[in-house]
Each structure stands twice: as structure tokens, then as C-alpha cells.
Amino acid sequence: MRSAIWENIFRRQDEKLSETALALSHVPVFNGLSRKELREVENIIHQREYQIGETIFQQGDPGLGMYIIIHGQVQIVNNQDPDNLIVYSELNDGDFFGDMALVDDADRSATAMAHAETRLIAFFRPELKDILSRFPSLGNKILMNLAKVIAQRLRKTNDLLIQAQQQDSGEPS
Amino acid sequence: MPDSPAPSARKLMQTFMRSSQIILPLAAILLLWNYVAPILLLLVLALLVNSILSPLADWLETRLWGNRLLAVLAVYLGMILIIVGLVSMAGPILVRQVTAMTSAFQGQNLTEMIENLKQSILGFVPPDMVGVAEQRFEAMMEKLPGFLANLADDLAAIVFKVAGLVGKLVLVLVFTFILMLESRNFKVQFLRAVPNTYFELTLNLLDKINAQVSGYLRGQAAAAATVGVLSTIGLFIISLAMNVTIPYFVIVGMLAGFANLIPFIGPFVGIVFAWIVYLMTPQAAGISAVVLIVLAAMFLLVQMIDNFFVSPKIMSASVGMHPLVVIVVIMIGNALMGPLGMLFAVPAFGVIKVTVEEVRWGLKAYRIL
């Protein structure tokens, strides 16, 4: 258990972080980064503001990187058929999306749209490469975190696949 | 999707405000073009130098406790040391050789040198063809003094121009210093002004163009330096090993390096220039075809070293150009800026070609085209 002194020290350190750096620190991809490292990331990320209904990226665009919602709401949709909008998920403050595009440049698999006035942080592949070349240890931390996120998703997908197979073969799940 | 009129108006206002951050400065630049153009040219040069030197600063930044200022200062210090070293080592020889060459190409010396060249060439002609060859040679040589005198004047003019450019060079170095220090900040600020619709496209394009252009320029600079240094060393070794006089070997070597910027034609410039210098100079052991072959072989060997070992490792961008395009580009360079324009036309065209290709890719990938 932390002592009161340590709590104070940690709180003071937290207070020195900007809103953006704090938002970054709560995203799994930036877990375990020191304050200095968070500031380094903060210096090269992009902050964007979107109005309701504005497209953040379009399905089929080249994937470039991830977005973190500071505040607002984002819908991940399939809008290939304008008359039949399929909403995959709705994301809120602190959520992130598009992180797979940090690893490869495959096309975006869905469209992201602002569902409210939204403020986002954009962290893209060129910036990740820049960090990797200038601060390899920081870059490796981010890559390891990214690998963990992807591994967790893969494990969940595997579980869902096993469940589906079991349901198909009539076994109890 | 909810979309009220108020947010639409706000969106329009926001887009206008963002766009105006780019459009207003552009309009101001166009209005004051005559005054802004020379500074803009220096800025573009600084951007290009920055794209060559930045990777080195990045590499040093990692090793200097993440301190960008220290890294940039270290790059500048290294650059100054190299320039001072080169100037103190090769400078006096270069100045001596340029002075000797410009005076040699004028007046009585030139007549003697042409006579030497004539005798050297006639030495390779069969005896029954000597009369015809001599007539042809003399017809050609009537035009040569004027051409060489012009060339010498051009060289001297280039030297003076280069001296006059020192002030501008200092400005480019100051711009480059600021860019190297603040380029990330500038990039973030610039992208902030880009409307949301074109944000990812612009960022993607900036990244790709920067990678391609800096790779291309670094490759060209490294290849030119390699060819220049190796050719100079090669000429020096040949003159010692074969006991022949090759004056101005530093100039010939450097010219071969610079000429390497021009594909197809460049590699032969060194050979031809070295031959002319060798043939025009009185040789103690007489003119020998073997020396001409060895000179050509040396330049070809240097080209092979560049093509097999240097260029493939450093050239990130493949900038294939049709020979006809190269010739047209060189002619345009000559029309715009004379000999200097001829030299830098192809690299400048390479930069434009790479940029246009990336923009075309981006517009297609984001379905704007």
C-alpha cells in the first residue's frame, strides 16, 4: 500500500500533466509511460475537432493511425449503402479506435463519424516511426502495449470462435 | 444522423477559419511575389538541406539524452569541421588549379595546348589519313579558342557567383537550423490549419514526400561525393603510378562527382574532361593510348563501385527518367540558369517528379481523383 507521502508525490506529478497527456496516459497503448515520455508523445500528436456528422475517416481510405476521444462521441459505421447505415459501435470519452492502422497500412475497414461535437487526439504511423527512430525505448514500450492490445483482441476472437463452433456442434458452451 | 443548421454554420465557419490560415498567407505571397520569391527559394533550399541532415540529427538526438538542440548543434559543428578541413586541405590546391586553368585557356598557352592536342590526336591516326585529319582538326579548332575562352569565363563567373552566394548560404544555414530544431512543431501547426476532410491525406502525403525526397537527395549527394572523392584519388594514383601529368585532377574529380547528378551523360563527362586535360598537357613520356584507356577504366570502375555498392544502399527512391526527358530537362536548366542550371536541373526535376507521383497516389488512394 502507498503511503500518504507517495500518494501526494504521485498526485502532484499527475497534476502537472496536461489534459491531453492525461488522456493519453489512460489509453492502453500508452500505458506505463513516464511523464517525460508522455510529454514527448504530446509534442507530436495532432488535436482535431469535429462537428456532428462529420467524417473522421472513410471506409477504404489508407489506414494511417489511431484516434483517442478526449470528449464527444464517435460512431464506427458501414456506410457503403447510404440507405442502410450499419452502426458497428459507439465510442465515448477515453475510447480509442483505428489502432490497427499503427501497425499496417491496410485500408480502413469501416467509417468513423462524429456523433456529437468531438475532440480527438490523432496518433499516426509517421509519428510512431519518428518516436521509434529517436527514442527507441519509448517506441518499444508503445509497440509492446500495441502488441498486448492486439493479443487481447485475438484471444477474445478465439474465444468467440470456439463458442460459435461449440454452438454449431450442439455442445453446451 | 443528427445535423442541425447551427452546427453546419459553425462547421462552415471553422472550415473557413482553418482554410484562411493557409489561403491568406498564400494570397499575400502571390501579391508580393517579386519580393518574396528570392526568400522563398532560400526557404525551399533550406527545406531540402533539412531533409538531408534531419536523419543525422534524429540519430544524434537519441544519443544526446533526447536533447534536440544539442543534436542540431552537433550536426552543425560536424559540418563546420568537415568544411574547414576540406577547405584547408583541398582549398589551396583547388584555387591554384582554377586560377591556372582559367589562365591556361586563354592567349598563347591555349595555342600551345591546342597544338599539343593536335599532335596527340594525329599520333593515333594512320599515316595516309594524317592530311585529311589535320584539315578536319584545324577546321574544328578554329571554333575552339572562343568556346574555351567562354568556358573559362563561365567557370570564373561561376566562382564569382559562388562567392556572391556566401551571404545567401549563411541565410540558408540559419533557416535550416531553425527548421531542424522546430520542423515537428511546424508540421503540427501546419496540419492544424488543414480542414478535417483533407487532414489524413495531407499528413500521409507530407510523410511520403518527405521520405522519398530526402532519400533521393541523400542518395544523390552521397553518390556524387563518392564519385568525386574516388575519381580524385584515382587520378592521383594514375598520375603517380604511370608517371603522367594530369593537372587540375582535383577539379576533374569534383566535376566528375557533380556530373554524376546527371544520369546517362554524367559518367562520361569525367572521362572526356580527364582525356582533354591529359592530351593538352605536354607529357615527358609522350602521349599513350594506354593512359587514355586506364583513365576511362578508372572512371568506369568508380561508376561500378557507386552503382553496385553505394547507390543501392542509399537510394530509397527510384527516379527512373527517359534519356529524352533528361536531355530536355538539362536544356531547360541551361535556359533558366546557365551551367549551374544544367547541373542541378536533373536533381530538381527528380524532386518534382517524386512529389508529383506521391500527390497523384494520395489523390487516387483517397478517391479525390
Side-chain angles (χ1 to χ4, degrees):
Chain A
M1 186 183 277
R2 282 178 185 164
S3 72
I5 295 168
W6 286 114
E7 288 284 354
N8 272 333
I9 289 170
F10 281 115
R11 193 161 57 236
R12 224 175 23 242
Q13 283 181 343
D14 273 353
E15 277 165 7
K16 281 180 186 172
L17 287 176
S18 66
E19 186 192 9
T20 311
L22 262 176
L24 287 173
S25 70
H26 293 125
V27 177
V29 172
F30 302 107
N31 259 352
L33 265 58
S34 68
R35 282 183 307 136
K36 195 182 166 213
E37 288 171 332
L38 281 170
R39 277 202 205 97
E40 211 55 67
V41 176
E42 190 187 356
N43 284 339
I44 56 167
I45 49 101
H46 308 276
Q47 299 202 35
R48 310 294 300 179
E49 282 174 17
Y50 293 83
Q51 300 302 312
I52 301 171
E54 203 173 353
T55 303
I56 298 160
F57 57 72
Q58 189 75 39
Q59 188 172 348
D61 283 355
L64 196 59
M66 69 182 290
Y67 290 89
I68 300 145
I69 304 171
I70 297 186
H71 61 72
Q73 197 173 54
V74 171
Q75 277 189 336
I76 306 296
V77 301
N78 182 337
N79 61 349
Q80 292 297 86
D81 178 5
D83 299 328
N84 183 25
L85 191 79
I86 303 165
V87 179
Y88 292 137
S89 62
E90 236 171 47
L91 306 168
N92 295 298
D93 296 8
D95 288 341
F96 58 96
F97 56 97
D99 43 319
M100 294 281 277
L102 280 175
V103 189
D104 70 359
D105 55 359
D107 291 348
R108 299 283 193 190
S109 55
T111 297
M113 296 172 102
H115 197 49
E117 281 191 23
T118 303
R119 205 172 131 214
L120 299 174
I121 292 171
F123 179 67
F124 291 154
R125 207 165 47 245
E127 279 78 52
L128 177 60
K129 282 184 185 167
D130 183 29
I131 284 184
L132 274 165
S133 74
R134 289 190 301 140
F135 308 106
S137 108
L138 168 59
N140 281 332
K141 274 187 197 174
I142 296 173
L143 276 186
M144 277 304 290
N145 285 334
L146 200 58
K148 273 183 203 164
V149 170
I150 292 169
Q152 278 168 5
R153 281 200 200 137
L154 190 61
R155 202 164 289 125
K156 265 188 193 168
T157 311
N158 281 344
D159 290 345
L160 285 173
L161 195 65
I162 291 166
Q163 273 179 18
Q165 279 174 340
Q166 283 172 346
Q167 276 168 5
D168 272 357
S169 60
E171 290 174 29
S173 57
Chain B
M1 189 65 49
D3 201 357
S4 60
S8 289
R10 202 168 150 185
K11 183 183 167 187
L12 200 69
M13 190 65 191
Q14 215 170 35
T15 309
F16 172 75
M17 292 298 283
R18 276 207 189 115
S19 309
S20 64
Q21 288 177 39
I22 293 176
I23 291 166
L24 288 180
L26 273 179
I29 287 171
L30 285 176
L31 273 173
L32 302 167
W33 180 251
N34 284 343
Y35 306 100
V36 176
I39 302 165
L40 220 57
L41 181 69
L42 297 183
L43 258 176
V44 171
L45 277 175
L47 270 170
L48 296 178
V49 178
N50 173 52
S51 70
I52 296 173
L53 293 178
S54 263
L56 182 60
D58 291 349
W59 184 81
L60 282 170
E61 191 179 348
T62 314
R63 280 143 190 90
L64 291 170
W65 315 282
N67 192 321
R68 184 77 184 168
L69 179 64
L70 271 184
V72 175
L73 282 173
V75 170
Y76 264 68
L77 190 70
M79 217 161 58
I80 289 167
L81 283 177
I82 289 171
I83 291 170
V84 168
L86 280 177
V87 167
S88 61
M89 271 162 48
I93 304 172
L94 198 63
V95 169
R96 207 166 48 236
Q97 291 193 359
V98 167
T99 317
M101 198 172 74
T102 42
S103 61
F105 279 172
Q106 286 157 338
Q108 189 60 35
N109 282 336
L110 182 62
T111 320
E112 282 171 25
M113 288 167 85
I114 292 172
E115 190 55 32
N116 280 334
L117 184 63
K118 184 176 139 189
Q119 295 308 326
S120 306
I121 291 172
L122 292 179
F124 294 105
V125 176
D128 53 327
M129 300 286 285
V130 168
V132 181
E134 201 165 3
Q135 276 177 2
R136 291 264 168 90
F137 184 82
E138 269 165 18
M140 267 167 59
M141 285 307 112
E142 276 174 14
K143 294 174 188 167
L144 190 67
F147 172 75
L148 284 180
N150 282 341
L151 183 69
D153 287 344
D154 277 350
L155 280 173
I158 288 173
V159 171
F160 280 117
K161 267 187 190 167
V162 168
L165 284 174
V166 168
K168 287 178 181 169
L169 185 73
V170 171
L171 260 180
V172 170
L173 289 178
V174 171
F175 287 162
T176 309
F177 185 87
I178 297 167
L179 279 174
M180 280 172 81
L181 209 57
E182 292 288 332
S183 57
R184 283 180 187 84
N185 195 18
F186 289 155
K187 184 182 160 190
V188 170
Q189 296 299 328
F190 172 74
L191 285 166
R192 197 166 285 173
V194 174
N196 285 334
T197 317
Y198 304 110
F199 169 58
E200 282 203 6
L201 164 70
T202 312
L203 192 138
N204 211 343
L205 278 182
L206 280 182
D207 179 55
K208 281 178 179 286
I209 290 171
N210 182 47
Q212 294 284 339
V213 168
S214 71
Y216 173 69
L217 288 176
R218 270 201 311 277
Q220 290 290 336
T226 309
V227 170
V229 170
L230 288 181
S231 301
T232 307
I233 295 170
L235 288 169
F236 182 67
I237 292 172
I238 289 173
S239 66
L240 280 185
M242 300 188 79
N243 199 23
V244 292
T245 313
I246 305 171
Y248 332 124
F249 66 90
V250 178
I251 299 175
V252 178
M254 280 178 64
L255 192 80
F258 277 119
N260 200 61
L261 296 171
I262 309 168
F264 311 116
I265 301 160
F268 296 101
V269 171
I271 298 178
V272 172
F273 203 50
W275 277 357
I276 291 174
V277 166
Y278 168 71
L279 292 174
M280 281 183 144
T281 313
Q283 302 290 340
I287 297 297
S288 155
V290 178
V291 175
L292 293 178
I293 293 167
V294 170
L295 282 172
M298 186 276 291
F299 279 105
L300 290 177
L301 181 70
V302 168
Q303 278 301 318
M304 281 166 69
I305 292 172
D306 173 42
N307 289 339
F308 291 122
F309 301 108
V310 183
S311 291
K313 289 198 175 165
I314 48 182
M315 292 275 188
S316 72
S318 155
V319 188
M321 289 183 207
H322 193 277
L324 188 67
V325 175
V326 171
I327 293 165
V328 171
V329 165
I330 292 169
M331 284 165 75
I332 293 171
N334 183 39
L336 287 175
M337 287 176 73
L340 265 181
M342 282 172 81
L343 202 59
F344 292 109
V346 174
F349 182 73
V351 168
I352 294 168
K353 188 170 182 267
V354 161
T355 307
V356 169
E357 274 170 9
E358 290 303 334
V359 170
R360 206 171 55 183
W361 169 87
L363 295 177
K364 271 188 183 166
Y366 287 87
R367 286 155 293 175
I368 294 170
L369 264 188

PDB file of all heavy atoms in Angstrom, chain A residues 43-54:
ATOM      1  N   ASN A  43       3.939  16.183 -27.772  1.00  0.00           N
ATOM      2  CA  ASN A  43       4.525  17.172 -28.692  1.00  0.00           C
ATOM      3  C   ASN A  43       4.284  16.848 -30.160  1.00  0.00           C
ATOM      4  O   ASN A  43       4.362  17.737 -31.009  1.00  0.00           O
ATOM      5  CB  ASN A  43       6.039  17.272 -28.474  1.00  0.00           C
ATOM      6  CG  ASN A  43       6.350  18.055 -27.224  1.00  0.00           C
ATOM      7  OD1 ASN A  43       5.514  18.818 -26.755  1.00  0.00           O
ATOM      8  ND2 ASN A  43       7.521  17.837 -26.657  1.00  0.00           N
ATOM      9  N   ILE A  44       4.051  15.575 -30.463  1.00  0.00           N
ATOM     10  CA  ILE A  44       3.956  15.233 -31.899  1.00  0.00           C
ATOM     11  C   ILE A  44       2.565  14.737 -32.312  1.00  0.00           C
ATOM     12  O   ILE A  44       2.350  14.475 -33.485  1.00  0.00           O
ATOM     13  CB  ILE A  44       5.022  14.197 -32.315  1.00  0.00           C
ATOM     14  CG1 ILE A  44       4.937  12.941 -31.456  1.00  0.00           C
ATOM     15  CG2 ILE A  44       6.414  14.759 -32.265  1.00  0.00           C
ATOM     16  CD1 ILE A  44       5.751  11.805 -32.025  1.00  0.00           C
ATOM     17  N   ILE A  45       1.639  14.614 -31.339  1.00  0.00           N
ATOM     18  CA  ILE A  45       0.290  14.168 -31.736  1.00  0.00           C
ATOM     19  C   ILE A  45      -0.503  15.369 -32.289  1.00  0.00           C
ATOM     20  O   ILE A  45      -0.075  16.515 -32.155  1.00  0.00           O
ATOM     21  CB  ILE A  45      -0.473  13.509 -30.554  1.00  0.00           C
ATOM     22  CG1 ILE A  45      -0.408  14.378 -29.303  1.00  0.00           C
ATOM     23  CG2 ILE A  45       0.086  12.143 -30.251  1.00  0.00           C
ATOM     24  CD1 ILE A  45      -1.583  15.167 -29.038  1.00  0.00           C
ATOM     25  N   HIS A  46      -1.627  15.061 -32.919  1.00  0.00           N
ATOM     26  CA  HIS A  46      -2.459  16.107 -33.523  1.00  0.00           C
ATOM     27  C   HIS A  46      -3.802  16.158 -32.808  1.00  0.00           C
ATOM     28  O   HIS A  46      -4.370  15.112 -32.504  1.00  0.00           O
ATOM     29  CB  HIS A  46      -2.699  15.812 -35.006  1.00  0.00           C
ATOM     30  CG  HIS A  46      -1.432  15.554 -35.749  1.00  0.00           C
ATOM     31  ND1 HIS A  46      -0.648  16.554 -36.255  1.00  0.00           N
ATOM     32  CD2 HIS A  46      -0.792  14.395 -36.040  1.00  0.00           C
ATOM     33  CE1 HIS A  46       0.405  16.027 -36.844  1.00  0.00           C
ATOM     34  NE2 HIS A  46       0.344  14.719 -36.717  1.00  0.00           N
ATOM     35  N   GLN A  47      -4.270  17.370 -32.540  1.00  0.00           N
ATOM     36  CA  GLN A  47      -5.589  17.508 -31.912  1.00  0.00           C
ATOM     37  C   GLN A  47      -6.570  18.023 -32.944  1.00  0.00           C
ATOM     38  O   GLN A  47      -6.280  18.996 -33.645  1.00  0.00           O
ATOM     39  CB  GLN A  47      -5.490  18.466 -30.733  1.00  0.00           C
ATOM     40  CG  GLN A  47      -4.532  17.935 -29.692  1.00  0.00           C
ATOM     41  CD  GLN A  47      -4.785  18.527 -28.324  1.00  0.00           C
ATOM     42  OE1 GLN A  47      -5.927  18.784 -27.948  1.00  0.00           O
ATOM     43  NE2 GLN A  47      -3.727  18.749 -27.586  1.00  0.00           N
ATOM     44  N   ARG A  48      -7.720  17.363 -33.039  1.00  0.00           N
ATOM     45  CA  ARG A  48      -8.718  17.721 -34.044  1.00  0.00           C
ATOM     46  C   ARG A  48     -10.082  17.901 -33.408  1.00  0.00           C
ATOM     47  O   ARG A  48     -10.398  17.225 -32.416  1.00  0.00           O
ATOM     48  CB  ARG A  48      -8.839  16.621 -35.117  1.00  0.00           C
ATOM     49  CG  ARG A  48      -7.565  16.139 -35.731  1.00  0.00           C
ATOM     50  CD  ARG A  48      -6.863  17.167 -36.536  1.00  0.00           C
ATOM     51  NE  ARG A  48      -7.623  17.688 -37.658  1.00  0.00           N
ATOM     52  CZ  ARG A  48      -7.165  18.630 -38.474  1.00  0.00           C
ATOM     53  NH1 ARG A  48      -5.956  19.146 -38.281  1.00  0.00           N
ATOM     54  NH2 ARG A  48      -7.898  19.075 -39.475  1.00  0.00           N
ATOM     55  N   GLU A  49     -10.874  18.771 -33.994  1.00  0.00           N
ATOM     56  CA  GLU A  49     -12.247  18.960 -33.527  1.00  0.00           C
ATOM     57  C   GLU A  49     -13.205  18.682 -34.673  1.00  0.00           C
ATOM     58  O   GLU A  49     -12.977  19.133 -35.802  1.00  0.00           O
ATOM     59  CB  GLU A  49     -12.434  20.383 -33.001  1.00  0.00           C
ATOM     60  CG  GLU A  49     -11.848  20.539 -31.622  1.00  0.00           C
ATOM     61  CD  GLU A  49     -11.882  21.960 -31.102  1.00  0.00           C
ATOM     62  OE1 GLU A  49     -12.642  22.774 -31.655  1.00  0.00           O
ATOM     63  OE2 GLU A  49     -11.148  22.232 -30.142  1.00  0.00           O
ATOM     64  N   TYR A  50     -14.251  17.913 -34.361  1.00  0.00           N
ATOM     65  CA  TYR A  50     -15.217  17.517 -35.399  1.00  0.00           C
ATOM     66  C   TYR A  50     -16.627  17.917 -34.982  1.00  0.00           C
ATOM     67  O   TYR A  50     -16.975  17.848 -33.789  1.00  0.00           O
ATOM     68  CB  TYR A  50     -15.160  15.995 -35.624  1.00  0.00           C
ATOM     69  CG  TYR A  50     -13.849  15.538 -36.230  1.00  0.00           C
ATOM     70  CD1 TYR A  50     -12.731  15.322 -35.430  1.00  0.00           C
ATOM     71  CD2 TYR A  50     -13.727  15.336 -37.596  1.00  0.00           C
ATOM     72  CE1 TYR A  50     -11.528  14.921 -35.971  1.00  0.00           C
ATOM     73  CE2 TYR A  50     -12.522  14.924 -38.150  1.00  0.00           C
ATOM     74  CZ  TYR A  50     -11.419  14.722 -37.340  1.00  0.00           C
ATOM     75  OH  TYR A  50     -10.233  14.320 -37.881  1.00  0.00           O
ATOM     76  N   GLN A  51     -17.421  18.316 -35.974  1.00  0.00           N
ATOM     77  CA  GLN A  51     -18.825  18.640 -35.721  1.00  0.00           C
ATOM     78  C   GLN A  51     -19.680  17.380 -35.883  1.00  0.00           C
ATOM     79  O   GLN A  51     -19.208  16.377 -36.447  1.00  0.00           O
ATOM     80  CB  GLN A  51     -19.291  19.703 -36.720  1.00  0.00           C
ATOM     81  CG  GLN A  51     -18.520  21.001 -36.650  1.00  0.00           C
ATOM     82  CD  GLN A  51     -18.579  21.640 -35.275  1.00  0.00           C
ATOM     83  OE1 GLN A  51     -19.658  21.761 -34.704  1.00  0.00           O
ATOM     84  NE2 GLN A  51     -17.437  22.015 -34.725  1.00  0.00           N
ATOM     85  N   ILE A  52     -20.900  17.457 -35.404  1.00  0.00           N
ATOM     86  CA  ILE A  52     -21.815  16.312 -35.518  1.00  0.00           C
ATOM     87  C   ILE A  52     -21.953  15.908 -36.992  1.00  0.00           C
ATOM     88  O   ILE A  52     -22.178  16.758 -37.855  1.00  0.00           O
ATOM     89  CB  ILE A  52     -23.210  16.666 -34.959  1.00  0.00           C
ATOM     90  CG1 ILE A  52     -23.107  17.072 -33.489  1.00  0.00           C
ATOM     91  CG2 ILE A  52     -24.171  15.481 -35.113  1.00  0.00           C
ATOM     92  CD1 ILE A  52     -24.389  17.652 -32.921  1.00  0.00           C
ATOM     93  N   GLY A  53     -21.792  14.612 -37.242  1.00  0.00           N
ATOM     94  CA  GLY A  53     -21.984  14.096 -38.596  1.00  0.00           C
ATOM     95  C   GLY A  53     -20.750  14.194 -39.471  1.00  0.00           C
ATOM     96  O   GLY A  53     -20.737  13.678 -40.588  1.00  0.00           O
ATOM     97  N   GLU A  54     -19.715  14.823 -38.975  1.00  0.00           N
ATOM     98  CA  GLU A  54     -18.507  14.971 -39.795  1.00  0.00           C
ATOM     99  C   GLU A  54     -17.729  13.651 -39.836  1.00  0.00           C
ATOM    100  O   GLU A  54     -17.621  12.959 -38.815  1.00  0.00           O
ATOM    101  CB  GLU A  54     -17.622  16.074 -39.212  1.00  0.00           C
ATOM    102  CG  GLU A  54     -16.682  16.661 -40.238  1.00  0.00           C
ATOM    103  CD  GLU A  54     -15.912  17.878 -39.717  1.00  0.00           C
ATOM    104  OE1 GLU A  54     -16.204  18.352 -38.592  1.00  0.00           O
ATOM    105  OE2 GLU A  54     -15.019  18.318 -40.416  1.00  0.00           O
TER     106      GLU A  54
END
